[in-house]
Amino acid sequence: MKVNGYAASKAKAPLAPFQFERREPREKDVVIEILYCGVCHSDIHQARDEWGGGLFPMVPGHEIVGKVIQTGPKVTHFKVGQNVGVGCLVDSCRACTSCHENLEQYCENGFVGTYNGIERDGKTPTFGGYSSHIVVDEAFVLSIPTNLDLSKTAPLLCAGITTYSPLKHWKVKSGMKVGVIGLGGLGHMAVKIAAAMGAEVILFTTSKNKKEDALKMGAKTVVISSDKEEMKKQTGLLDLIINTVSAQILLTDYLSLLKREGTMVMLGVSPDSLNLESHALIMKRRNLAGSLIGGLKETQEMLDFCAKHNITSDIELIPIQKINEAFDKAVKSQVKYRFVIEMNSLKIKD
Ligand code: NAP
Ligand code: ZN
Ligand code: ZN
């Protein structure tokens, strides 16, 4: 089927209208009409080829919410008309230990990314959610709880699960102090979810104008990271730090805020290498860890958790024609707190 979307024709090229083919649905495929797609900072890193190895033309987008318009004959979980989501993965080997443990994101044979990836046939490139339709095996499709607003739910498919997964893995609960660095797409979800899990949340931001919002989202304390005195007050107090910053920052300053044996989890994927002094880890047996999105089972669990706690993303809805402007604003931390593309806008003639 012919599909309209927006693509970067080569690294750093502005996104522009692009027509391409989606496969005919296989037995277990679901055909989804895309209604909304969030704009993740990973879309920008990849469309600008900041991590290297990008496949072009590239149709970004992995925070997809839409409606099922067709199902293959062996689809059992989804029906035409149902609202569904697709996140960062559209396939994995389904045979390795990680896949068997519902950790498809760590598939030992490599997961298939929703875009900038290659299908398991070894040759077909994947194209993401900045497009009118997508065809996905039902094993990689999520159900959207009925009480959630669809446009505000799109960012949960990446920003939501990427922050929920480490908060769960490090067993965040009431009585714990969780630091979040950066109030962007991931950061604002981390604040909301950690607060809903019962933690006391301390937000670290470079943007003074985000303070009030962070407090409303559930942070108990907001520290402007350039304020050395305020930073120092947190020394040795935090159980866990979720680092969502998309650029490299001096980690030593933040590691010293952890308690003995506390952990900092790296979520941001800066193109530059880590910047830290090892004594900050050694002196208090602290840990530095990383975490990658989440598996399908956990993503469904996160959606159900958000539905129960009435958590969605704070968004700015844009037509697809504004995507290049949105990329530039996101890089300058000028989005509150996630751009979401209204996909109906694809029908507008430029
Ligand atoms: P985003 O919306 O742009 O948010 C990043 C935030 O980091 C900004 O809002 C800003 O917060 C802060 N920041 C940006 N530049 C900074 C700098 N130079 N110094 C200090 N702080 C800075 O991005 P996002 O979509 O949340 O993504 C964040 C990162 O996570 C990206 O690198 C993305 O690729 C990565 N990511 C990783 C995973 C994973 O599985 N691990 C999944 C999705 C995304 P303040 O204004 O509050 O300071
Ligand atoms: Zn993402
Ligand atoms: Zn696998």
Side-chain angles (χ1 to χ4, degrees):
M1 86 197 267
K2 276 226 179 320
V3 168
N4 290 315
Y6 262 57
S9 58
K10 56 180 198 284
K12 298 184 179 62
L15 270 61
F18 175 64
Q19 208 177 49
F20 60 101
E21 288 281 334
R22 293 280 189 200
R23 67 172 181 254
E24 285 308 313
R26 300 177 191 143
E27 285 189 328
K28 293 196 157 191
D29 276 347
V30 175
V31 182
I32 301 163
E33 180 190 347
I34 300 176
L35 300 174
Y36 300 102
C37 186
V39 178
C40 178
H41 206 118
S42 300
D43 299 347
I44 307 172
H45 288 309
Q46 291 177 88
R48 295 182 175 176
D49 210 20
E50 292 170 359
W51 299 337
L55 304 172
F56 294 89
M58 185 190 296
V59 178
H62 59 206
E63 293 185 336
I64 300 166
V65 163
K67 191 163 56 169
V68 177
I69 57 163
Q70 192 185 338
T71 56
K74 291 205 171 152
V75 168
T76 55
H77 290 94
F78 300 98
K79 290 201 165 48
V80 169
Q82 192 176 342
N83 292 327
V84 292
V86 177
C88 304
L89 313 174
V90 288
D91 209 347
S92 68
C93 86
R94 311 187 199 196
C96 71
T97 318
S98 295
C99 285
H100 281 309
E101 291 177 10
N102 299 307
L103 295 167
E104 298 88 355
Q105 76 274 34
Y106 302 117
C107 173
E108 278 127 60
N109 297 302
F111 66 79
V112 179
T114 302
Y115 69 89
N116 195 19
I118 298 285
E119 297 273 7
R120 282 167 60 207
D121 64 7
K123 55 178 189 208
T124 311
T126 56
F127 292 120
Y130 295 7
S131 59
S132 60
H133 299 82
I134 191 165
V135 181
V136 182
D137 185 297
E138 69 166 338
F140 288 78
V141 177
L142 288 310
S143 320
I144 305 295
T146 49
N147 64 321
L148 292 178
D149 176 292
L150 289 184
S151 56
K152 296 176 181 163
T153 297
L156 302 187
L157 277 307
C158 175
I161 182 58
T162 302
T163 49
Y164 180 86
S165 186
L167 291 169
K168 272 304 281 255
H169 184 77
W170 275 276
K171 299 186 171 56
V172 166
K173 57 178 190 303
S174 152
M176 286 174 73
K177 289 193 184 203
V178 174
V180 174
I181 317 180
L183 196 72
L186 267 58
H188 91 294
M189 293 313 305
V191 169
K192 291 183 183 199
I193 295 171
M197 287 175 174
E200 179 181 328
V201 179
I202 297 95
L203 174 81
F204 298 90
T205 177
T206 59
S207 308
K208 287 193 179 106
N209 66 349
K210 293 181 180 174
K211 186 169 180 172
E212 290 308 312
D213 289 342
L215 294 171
K216 278 192 211 134
M217 289 173 197
K220 185 153 183 234
T221 310
V222 176
V223 176
I224 308 301
S225 49
S226 55
D227 186 333
K228 295 242 174 320
E229 281 308 304
E230 287 300 309
M231 286 288 284
K232 225 178 193 165
K233 278 189 199 158
Q234 300 296 328
T235 302
L237 296 182
L238 308 180
D239 295 280
L240 183 72
I241 295 178
I242 302 289
N243 180 358
T244 75
V245 177
S246 46
Q248 205 43 268
I249 53 172
L250 188 60
L251 296 184
T252 312
D253 290 349
Y254 288 96
L255 286 168
S256 63
L257 308 185
L258 289 168
K259 283 182 182 163
R260 194 192 77 220
E261 280 147 39
T263 299
M264 179 192 281
V265 186
M266 302 294 292
L267 295 182
V269 193
S270 164
D272 305 316
S273 46
L274 293 184
N275 189 350
L276 70 102
E277 289 159 28
S278 44
H279 71 85
L281 293 170
I282 293 166
M283 297 309 282
K284 297 262 183 217
R285 198 155 63 184
R286 295 176 175 120
N287 306 289
L288 183 62
S291 184
L292 177 66
I293 44 179
L296 272 293
K297 184 164 180 268
E298 196 174 45
T299 305
Q300 191 64 58
E301 179 187 306
M302 174 278 307
L303 286 168
D304 296 340
F305 176 92
C306 288
K308 186 172 158 208
H309 294 271
N310 223 350
I311 294 175
T312 50
S313 173
D314 290 21
I315 66 162
E316 292 186 45
L317 215 49
I318 56 161
I320 188 109
Q321 291 78 5
K322 296 261 182 218
I323 188 62
N324 294 305
E325 215 174 288
F327 272 18
D328 290 339
K329 280 190 174 166
V331 169
K332 292 185 207 144
S333 307
Q334 285 172 356
V335 49
K336 292 189 169 176
Y337 283 85
R338 192 58 127 194
F339 286 117
V340 170
I341 306 163
E342 190 161 22
M343 217 46 76
N344 224 345
S345 59
L346 268 173
K347 293 174 189 153
I348 302 168
K349 292 274 161 268
D350 295 303

